[in-house]
């Protein structure tokens, strides 16, 4: 069915990211992002603006995954090893490394995690826009200049009420969507935590 799309697929992709050895596979990580971007587009034009930068970053990473060095970009762990060993993270004015690009997506993933968790646990009459603004302010906003924070906050105000939002996730009834979130969110948390630890270990959390 054209346009049929469920947030369940996004969460399944993030679930498929983590290997038995606790490595994060870039292929499913980027499919998760692709799905999320598709979902953001269903929220209207103003969210297309928000997702524009994520689209560019996912595209850049997909190019690495298909490029000559693709074997070095199978997992986040391989990528960090490779880019560090090649000195790709030392040169100033190199804004296109995989590590600094994934770091931006990683910070945005924290926002998504907090937002969906807020949505899951909120009272039925809660405002989606408030949940979204609060989760943004608690995460990604710290890395954004004022003008982006402002534009983001304006976009959030257009979000539909909680129950309607749960419906457009296309997972079933609001109750079913909440149950799905409860099941799937630990996997996003897992991906986030492993990535955070990897980047911290190599002192890459502040890559310009
Ligand atoms: C409904 C909740 C959905 C959460 C989805 C997350 C989407 C994240 C995209 C936010 C992007 C805002 C505008 C872009 C800002 C860029 O300057 C910034 N990129 C990100 C992803 O934060 C930093 O990238 P840069 O300039 O250092 O290359």
């Amino acid at each position: 069915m054209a346009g049929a799309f469920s947030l369940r697929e996004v969460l399944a992709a993030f679930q498929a990211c983590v290997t038995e050895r606790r490595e994060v596979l870039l292929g499913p990580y980027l499919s998760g992002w692709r799905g999320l971007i598709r979902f953001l587009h269903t929220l209207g034009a103003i969210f297309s603006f928000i997702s524009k930068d994520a689209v560019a970053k996912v595209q850049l990473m997909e190019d690495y995954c298909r490029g000559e060095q693709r074997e070095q970009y199978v997992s986040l762990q391989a990528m960090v090893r490779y880019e560090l060993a090649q000195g790709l993270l030392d040169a100033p004015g190199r804004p296109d490394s995989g590590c600094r690009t994934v770091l931006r997506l990683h910070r945005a993933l924290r926002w998504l995690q907090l937002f969906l968790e807020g949505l899951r646990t909120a009272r039925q009459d809660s405002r989606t826009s408030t949940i979204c603004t609060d989760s943004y302010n608690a995460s990604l906003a710290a890395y954004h200049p004022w003008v982006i924070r402002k534009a983001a906050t304006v976009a959030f105000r257009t979000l539909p009420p909680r129950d309607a939002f749960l419906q457009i996730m296309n997972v079933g009834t609001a109750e079913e969507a909440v149950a799905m979130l409860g099941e799937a969110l630990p996997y996003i948390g897992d991906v986030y935590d492993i990535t955070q630890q990897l980047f911290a270990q190599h002192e890459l959390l502040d890559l310009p």
Side-chain angles (χ1 to χ4, degrees), residues 147-197:
V147 56
I148 290 185
R149 293 204 306 268
K150 188 75 200 158
T153 316
V154 170
F156 301 160
R157 274 192 229 131
T158 69
L159 286 171
R162 177 174 179 270
D163 271 15
F165 191 90
L166 289 170
Q167 298 281 337
I168 53 176
M169 285 167 47
N170 226 344
V171 179
T173 63
E175 291 74 25
E176 284 166 335
V178 164
M180 189 279 287
L181 286 177
E183 225 173 277
L185 276 172
Y187 293 101
I188 291 203
D190 225 19
V191 171
Y192 181 85
D193 291 345
I194 297 172
T195 311
Q196 180 73 12
Q197 204 190 339

Side-chain angles (χ1 to χ4, degrees), residues 5-7 29 40-41 51 55 63 72 74 86 98 125 128 138 145 147 149 151 156 165 171 176 198:
F5 164 77
S6 162
L7 200 66
Y29 188 88
L40 289 177
H41 283 164
S51 61
V55 172
D63 292 346
Q72 317 291 350
V74 168
Q86 295 290 311
D125 58 357
T128 315
V147 56
R149 293 204 306 268
F156 301 160
F165 191 90
V171 179
E176 284 166 335
L198 175 72

Side-chain angles (χ1 to χ4, degrees), residues 65-173:
C65 289
R66 279 194 288 259
E68 267 174 39
Q69 300 298 335
R70 58 184 168 275
E71 268 138 54
Q72 317 291 350
Y73 289 88
V74 168
S75 68
L76 295 187
Q77 286 75 6
M79 173 188 78
V80 166
R81 227 178 293 134
Y82 170 71
E83 292 195 342
L84 277 175
Q86 295 290 311
L88 294 176
L89 307 177
D90 305 335
R94 205 195 144 83
D96 59 347
S97 71
C99 286
R100 67 90 61 195
T101 304
V102 166
L103 179 61
R104 271 62 184 177
L105 294 175
H106 169 66
R107 289 169 178 165
L109 193 64
R110 177 76 179 160
W111 173 28
L112 180 73
Q113 183 194 2
L114 294 178
F115 170 62
L116 293 179
E117 183 60 24
L119 205 60
R120 184 180 81 84
T121 53
R123 290 173 30 174
Q124 210 172 346
D125 58 357
S126 308
R127 293 173 57 111
T128 315
S129 57
T130 309
I131 300 169
C132 193
T133 306
D134 289 350
S135 50
Y136 175 73
N137 286 337
S139 57
L140 198 54
Y143 305 100
H144 288 165
W146 182 84
V147 56
I148 290 185
R149 293 204 306 268
K150 188 75 200 158
T153 316
V154 170
F156 301 160
R157 274 192 229 131
T158 69
L159 286 171
R162 177 174 179 270
D163 271 15
F165 191 90
L166 289 170
Q167 298 281 337
I168 53 176
M169 285 167 47
N170 226 344
V171 179
T173 63

